[in-house]
Amino acid sequence: MKITFPHMGSLSIALKCLFEHLGAEVIVPPPITKKTLNIGVQNSPELACLPLKINMGNYIEAIEQGAEAIVMLGGVGPCRFGYYGQVQKEILKDLGYDVKMVVVDPPDRDFVGFLRDLAPLFPKASVKNVIHGLNLAFRKIVASDKLEKQLLISRAHERKRGEITHIYERYIQKLDRADTVRDIKRVTKEGLRELKAAEENKGVKPLKIVIVGEIYFLLEPYPSQDIYRALNELGVEVIKTEYLSEYLLSSIFTWRFNRIKKYARPYLKRHIGGHGVNSIGNTIKYARQCDGIIHIFPFTCTPEIVAQGILQRISKDLNVPIMSLSYDENTGTAGYQTRLEAFIDLLQKKRDAKEALVNEGLSWN
């Protein structure tokens, strides 16, 4: 059976590795493009959020390349993400696609049950293959996260625009092809070294901006118009608050999520669905480590809209500039680029004013 799945950052590398080691043929959807989005928009409810529409485009493009089964995470709580799988299943059925949709619950507290839901797709997989596949897949996720963390620092210092992005993409491709733990470690080490070596102006202290928001937007660059690259090319180092490895570990080990809840508790004492609590908690956690914070999320995302209102209060209380950006399929690039440039100008003026006061021996509040 030929299996596919939606793009979400480095998830495709990990799932391809895992499913192939379990004996399946994998159809990775084509990279997300305007065509992908258009297909999704044409075949999704008008008021559905952007991730659902992009996922639909992923599925249809993969099905047209021969995919026979789709693996999709389910969910619980006030976020509409929990309905994605069922809605998409009905849409594909109405479009006449004969494809099996497998919706598995997140591995929260029940990792064995998570694997059991996937088992029917891999009837010939042995326990040894499962363990080996999971080990390699997770190591690839961790490795890709390390490379991306370095990318978001190094690219703010690159000598030639596009050079460091090219290095990063080359090593992600090598990571995709790696088939042993030793290869993964070697690729990661070489990639980090080459990314750092391509930097210039290492003595310059650039602005640092933290990105919080909805998990799909944090992991997948396309829906936010690759805000990370846009900020890096404006000379800003970026701190991304959620990576795929951390997201998966928080799903398995709830104590990790409880740490973020503790940060959020002064402002939010209950779960509001999606990644709303994480947006609040991470904002408080990183507020003293940056010059400003940008909150990104899909238009109509209720948990993040709730978080947006709370973030305005946090911005005032902690004296940290916060800008919220929502996106849908009609979002234009030029307007958002202008907003990013204006926000950076604001942060630079604030930093200059703070440094001037410090030089005069005055305190900054």
Side-chain angles (χ1 to χ4, degrees):
M1 183 174 289
K2 300 177 182 178
I3 300 175
T4 193
F5 36 77
H7 278 297
M8 194 168 86
S10 59
L11 181 65
S12 59
I13 293 176
L15 290 184
K16 177 187 174 187
C17 173
L18 174 61
F19 293 167
E20 286 181 343
H21 276 84
L22 298 183
E25 183 176 350
V26 177
I27 304 292
V28 179
I32 301 172
T33 62
K34 185 67 174 177
K35 177 185 175 183
T36 310
L37 178 58
N38 288 339
I39 292 172
V41 169
Q42 292 168 9
N43 296 287
S44 302
E46 182 180 357
L47 296 180
C49 57
L50 191 56
L52 184 146
K53 295 172 181 176
I54 295 176
N55 285 174
M56 281 302 305
N58 289 156
Y59 298 151
I60 291 173
E61 286 187 311
I63 291 170
E64 291 176 349
Q65 291 188 359
E68 301 167 310
I70 298 169
V71 176
M72 172 68 184
L73 277 178
V76 295
C79 177
R80 289 175 293 178
F81 176 73
Y83 298 101
Y84 275 21
Q86 296 304 321
V87 171
Q88 292 164 340
K89 183 177 180 179
E90 292 302 317
I91 292 173
L92 292 172
K93 181 179 178 181
D94 291 343
L95 291 173
Y97 291 115
D98 183 18
V99 61
K100 182 179 180 64
M101 174 76 81
V102 180
V103 181
V104 294
D105 290 330
D108 183 6
R109 299 185 184 181
D110 187 15
F111 189 67
V112 174
F114 172 76
L115 295 177
R116 191 183 302 117
D117 290 339
L118 288 174
L121 294 174
F122 313 103
K124 298 181 181 180
S126 65
V127 173
K128 180 180 178 181
N129 287 342
V130 171
I131 294 174
H132 182 58
L134 285 171
N135 180 40
L136 286 181
F138 188 72
R139 285 178 179 273
K140 286 190 177 187
I141 290 172
V142 173
S144 64
D145 287 350
K146 288 180 179 179
L147 290 171
E148 187 179 6
K149 285 179 183 179
Q150 187 60 49
L151 167 74
L152 299 184
I153 296 172
S154 297
R155 193 163 51 187
H157 305 269
E158 65 183 347
R159 291 186 291 265
K160 179 181 178 184
R161 179 172 292 187
E163 178 185 8
I164 290 181
T165 299
H166 177 70
I167 294 171
Y168 168 76
E169 291 174 346
R170 178 157 50 83
Y171 276 94
I172 288 295
Q173 291 171 2
K174 289 184 178 182
L175 191 61
D176 186 24
R177 295 192 296 268
D179 199 39
T180 66
V181 172
R182 183 177 180 180
D183 286 343
I184 293 171
K185 290 180 177 180
R186 176 182 54 77
V187 169
T188 306
K189 183 177 180 180
E190 292 175 357
L192 292 173
R193 183 172 62 243
E194 193 165 338
L195 288 170
K196 293 175 183 178
E199 297 178 16
E200 69 173 4
N201 298 325
K202 295 183 180 181
V204 176
K205 185 180 179 182
L207 292 170
K208 290 186 179 182
I209 291 181
V210 165
I211 306 294
V212 302
E214 192 269 335
I215 187 64
Y216 182 80
F217 270 67
L218 290 177
L219 298 182
E220 177 55 51
Y222 184 87
S224 68
Q225 301 172 2
D226 203 346
I227 189 172
Y228 308 116
R229 182 169 184 170
L231 289 170
N232 282 159
E233 291 180 349
L234 291 169
V236 175
E237 289 185 5
V238 176
I239 300 173
K240 194 168 77 166
T241 53
E242 300 277 354
Y243 284 87
L244 183 56
S245 57
E246 297 163 356
Y247 171 66
L248 293 175
L249 288 173
S250 294
S251 296
I252 299 171
F253 305 109
T254 54
W255 58 265
R256 297 176 68 95
F257 176 58
N258 290 336
R259 290 192 304 188
I260 292 298
K261 286 168 63 177
K262 287 182 179 179
Y263 280 105
R265 193 164 294 143
Y267 294 88
L268 185 63
K269 294 180 172 59
R270 61 187 300 176
H271 186 46
I272 56 174
H275 242 58
V277 171
N278 299 64
S279 294
I280 301 299
N282 282 321
T283 295
I284 297 169
K285 178 181 177 181
Y286 288 94
R288 304 300 184 191
Q289 304 177 35
C290 66
D291 295 283
I293 295 172
I294 297 180
H295 173 222
I296 58 175
F297 59 98
F299 182 68
T300 76
C301 177
T302 302
E304 297 300 335
I305 291 173
V306 174
Q308 181 183 11
I310 299 173
L311 289 177
Q312 294 174 5
R313 181 181 163 195
I314 295 174
S315 175
K316 182 178 180 181
D317 291 349
L318 301 185
N319 191 27
V320 56
I322 301 176
M323 178 172 67
S324 292
L325 299 175
S326 65
Y327 299 79
D328 65 11
E329 63 270 20
N330 298 313
T331 299
T333 303
Y336 275 65
Q337 183 70 17
T338 300
R339 292 184 66 182
L340 291 181
E341 292 172 358
F343 188 62
I344 290 171
D345 286 343
L346 169 69
L347 299 183
Q348 188 62 58
K349 289 177 180 177
K350 182 180 178 183
R351 176 187 277 191
D352 292 344
K354 180 178 179 179
E355 291 177 350
L357 286 174
V358 171
N359 290 337
E360 293 177 8
L362 301 175
S363 62
W364 173 268
N365 294 316

Tab-separated table of all heavy atoms in Angstrom, residues 325-348:
chain	number	residue	atom	x	y	z
A	325	LEU	N	0.281	38.411	13.897
A	325	LEU	CA	0.025	38.325	12.457
A	325	LEU	C	-0.842	37.105	12.181
A	325	LEU	O	-0.477	35.990	12.537
A	325	LEU	CB	1.339	38.201	11.681
A	325	LEU	CG	2.349	39.350	11.806
A	325	LEU	CD1	3.636	38.991	11.071
A	325	LEU	CD2	1.768	40.639	11.244
A	326	SER	N	-1.991	37.327	11.560
A	326	SER	CA	-2.848	36.206	11.155
A	326	SER	C	-2.817	36.079	9.639
A	326	SER	O	-2.646	37.074	8.920
A	326	SER	CB	-4.286	36.414	11.644
A	326	SER	OG	-4.876	37.534	11.013
A	327	TYR	N	-3.001	34.856	9.162
A	327	TYR	CA	-2.856	34.576	7.737
A	327	TYR	C	-4.033	33.751	7.222
A	327	TYR	O	-4.551	32.876	7.919
A	327	TYR	CB	-1.582	33.770	7.462
A	327	TYR	CG	-0.291	34.441	7.858
A	327	TYR	CD1	0.130	34.448	9.186
A	327	TYR	CD2	0.533	35.035	6.907
A	327	TYR	CE1	1.336	35.035	9.551
A	327	TYR	CE2	1.740	35.623	7.271
A	327	TYR	CZ	2.136	35.622	8.589
A	327	TYR	OH	3.321	36.203	8.953
A	328	ASP	N	-4.428	34.018	5.964
A	328	ASP	CA	-5.317	33.125	5.235
A	328	ASP	C	-4.832	33.071	3.786
A	328	ASP	O	-3.760	33.612	3.466
A	328	ASP	CB	-6.783	33.557	5.347
A	328	ASP	CG	-7.074	34.906	4.697
A	328	ASP	OD1	-6.201	35.436	3.970
A	328	ASP	OD2	-8.171	35.438	4.919
A	329	GLU	N	-5.619	32.456	2.911
A	329	GLU	CA	-5.154	32.279	1.537
A	329	GLU	C	-5.084	33.583	0.750
A	329	GLU	O	-4.491	33.639	-0.337
A	329	GLU	CB	-6.059	31.283	0.794
A	329	GLU	CG	-7.505	31.736	0.638
A	329	GLU	CD	-8.370	31.289	1.806
A	329	GLU	OE1	-7.804	30.989	2.873
A	329	GLU	OE2	-9.615	31.251	1.637
A	330	ASN	N	-5.684	34.654	1.274
A	330	ASN	CA	-5.690	35.936	0.571
A	330	ASN	C	-4.623	36.902	1.094
A	330	ASN	O	-4.550	38.043	0.634
A	330	ASN	CB	-7.072	36.592	0.699
A	330	ASN	CG	-8.166	35.748	0.070
A	330	ASN	OD1	-8.014	35.266	-1.057
A	330	ASN	ND2	-9.254	35.538	0.784
A	331	THR	N	-3.835	36.459	2.029
A	331	THR	CA	-2.820	37.334	2.622
A	331	THR	C	-1.760	37.700	1.581
A	331	THR	O	-1.180	36.820	0.944
A	331	THR	CB	-2.147	36.642	3.821
A	331	THR	OG1	-3.140	36.374	4.819
A	331	THR	CG2	-1.075	37.540	4.414
A	332	GLY	N	-1.512	38.998	1.431
A	332	GLY	CA	-0.507	39.462	0.487
A	332	GLY	C	0.862	39.572	1.132
A	332	GLY	O	0.981	39.742	2.350
A	333	THR	N	1.894	39.496	0.317
A	333	THR	CA	3.265	39.525	0.828
A	333	THR	C	3.730	40.932	1.155
A	333	THR	O	4.356	41.165	2.199
A	333	THR	CB	4.228	38.906	-0.207
A	333	THR	OG1	3.802	37.579	-0.502
A	333	THR	CG2	5.649	38.879	0.324
A	334	ALA	N	3.423	41.905	0.288
A	334	ALA	CA	3.967	43.256	0.429
A	334	ALA	C	3.572	43.902	1.756
A	334	ALA	O	4.405	44.483	2.454
A	334	ALA	CB	3.517	44.118	-0.742
A	335	GLY	N	2.292	43.792	2.118
A	335	GLY	CA	1.822	44.414	3.353
A	335	GLY	C	2.488	43.843	4.585
A	335	GLY	O	2.846	44.582	5.516
A	336	TYR	N	2.696	42.541	4.589
A	336	TYR	CA	3.323	41.900	5.742
A	336	TYR	C	4.800	42.237	5.826
A	336	TYR	O	5.346	42.400	6.918
A	336	TYR	CB	3.103	40.384	5.692
A	336	TYR	CG	1.788	39.969	6.294
A	336	TYR	CD1	0.588	40.352	5.732
A	336	TYR	CD2	1.730	39.233	7.469
A	336	TYR	CE1	-0.622	40.005	6.291
A	336	TYR	CE2	0.527	38.866	8.047
A	336	TYR	CZ	-0.656	39.254	7.449
A	336	TYR	OH	-1.854	38.917	8.027
A	337	GLN	N	5.449	42.355	4.681
A	337	GLN	CA	6.858	42.743	4.678
A	337	GLN	C	7.018	44.145	5.264
A	337	GLN	O	7.948	44.396	6.047
A	337	GLN	CB	7.414	42.705	3.247
A	337	GLN	CG	8.894	43.022	3.132
A	337	GLN	CD	9.792	41.932	3.708
A	337	GLN	OE1	9.347	40.803	3.913
A	337	GLN	NE2	11.048	42.267	3.952
A	338	THR	N	6.108	45.032	4.915
A	338	THR	CA	6.152	46.395	5.446
A	338	THR	C	5.967	46.396	6.962
A	338	THR	O	6.641	47.127	7.687
A	338	THR	CB	5.067	47.256	4.784
A	338	THR	OG1	5.281	47.286	3.375
A	338	THR	CG2	5.098	48.682	5.319
A	339	ARG	N	5.055	45.547	7.448
A	339	ARG	CA	4.819	45.469	8.895
A	339	ARG	C	6.050	44.929	9.624
A	339	ARG	O	6.395	45.389	10.710
A	339	ARG	CB	3.596	44.598	9.183
A	339	ARG	CG	2.281	45.202	8.720
A	339	ARG	CD	1.098	44.338	9.106
A	339	ARG	NE	0.918	44.291	10.562
A	339	ARG	CZ	-0.025	43.560	11.158
A	339	ARG	NH1	-0.857	42.831	10.434
A	339	ARG	NH2	-0.131	43.570	12.472
A	340	LEU	N	6.718	43.941	9.034
A	340	LEU	CA	7.938	43.403	9.645
A	340	LEU	C	9.022	44.476	9.724
A	340	LEU	O	9.691	44.633	10.757
A	340	LEU	CB	8.456	42.209	8.847
A	340	LEU	CG	7.627	40.919	8.877
A	340	LEU	CD1	8.308	39.841	8.039
A	340	LEU	CD2	7.412	40.423	10.292
A	341	GLU	N	9.186	45.226	8.643
A	341	GLU	CA	10.217	46.265	8.623
A	341	GLU	C	9.917	47.351	9.648
A	341	GLU	O	10.827	47.845	10.332
A	341	GLU	CB	10.323	46.855	7.213
A	341	GLU	CG	10.877	45.869	6.190
A	341	GLU	CD	10.799	46.392	4.763
A	341	GLU	OE1	10.272	47.527	4.581
A	341	GLU	OE2	11.245	45.689	3.837
A	342	ALA	N	8.627	47.718	9.773
A	342	ALA	CA	8.247	48.741	10.751
A	342	ALA	C	8.473	48.242	12.182
A	342	ALA	O	8.931	48.997	13.058
A	342	ALA	CB	6.782	49.135	10.550
A	343	PHE	N	8.189	46.954	12.416
A	343	PHE	CA	8.377	46.378	13.753
A	343	PHE	C	9.857	46.351	14.116
A	343	PHE	O	10.241	46.676	15.245
A	343	PHE	CB	7.781	44.971	13.786
A	343	PHE	CG	7.730	44.341	15.150
A	343	PHE	CD1	6.987	44.903	16.176
A	343	PHE	CD2	8.427	43.166	15.416
A	343	PHE	CE1	6.931	44.318	17.437
A	343	PHE	CE2	8.379	42.568	16.669
A	343	PHE	CZ	7.626	43.151	17.683
A	344	ILE	N	10.685	45.998	13.153
A	344	ILE	CA	12.129	45.966	13.391
A	344	ILE	C	12.657	47.365	13.683
A	344	ILE	O	13.505	47.562	14.564
A	344	ILE	CB	12.848	45.334	12.188
A	344	ILE	CG1	12.527	43.830	12.124
A	344	ILE	CG2	14.357	45.549	12.264
A	344	ILE	CD1	13.002	43.154	10.869
A	345	ASP	N	12.162	48.363	12.957
A	345	ASP	CA	12.570	49.744	13.222
A	345	ASP	C	12.207	50.148	14.649
A	345	ASP	O	12.995	50.814	15.347
A	345	ASP	CB	11.891	50.700	12.231
A	345	ASP	CG	12.497	50.620	10.839
A	345	ASP	OD1	13.624	50.088	10.710
A	345	ASP	OD2	11.854	51.083	9.885
A	346	LEU	N	11.006	49.745	15.090
A	346	LEU	CA	10.570	50.035	16.454
A	346	LEU	C	11.506	49.398	17.478
A	346	LEU	O	11.921	50.042	18.459
A	346	LEU	CB	9.143	49.524	16.654
A	346	LEU	CG	8.604	49.513	18.094
A	346	LEU	CD1	8.406	50.931	18.599
A	346	LEU	CD2	7.293	48.731	18.173
A	347	LEU	N	11.851	48.131	17.243
A	347	LEU	CA	12.728	47.419	18.177
A	347	LEU	C	14.123	48.045	18.218
A	347	LEU	O	14.731	48.142	19.295
A	347	LEU	CB	12.832	45.942	17.773
A	347	LEU	CG	11.537	45.134	17.776
A	347	LEU	CD1	11.824	43.670	17.436
A	347	LEU	CD2	10.814	45.231	19.110
A	348	GLN	N	14.617	48.457	17.055
A	348	GLN	CA	15.954	49.060	17.020
A	348	GLN	C	15.977	50.385	17.775
A	348	GLN	O	16.926	50.678	18.512
A	348	GLN	CB	16.397	49.260	15.569
A	348	GLN	CG	17.850	49.700	15.434
A	348	GLN	CD	18.822	48.669	15.987
A	348	GLN	OE1	18.845	47.522	15.556
A	348	GLN	NE2	19.645	49.066	16.964
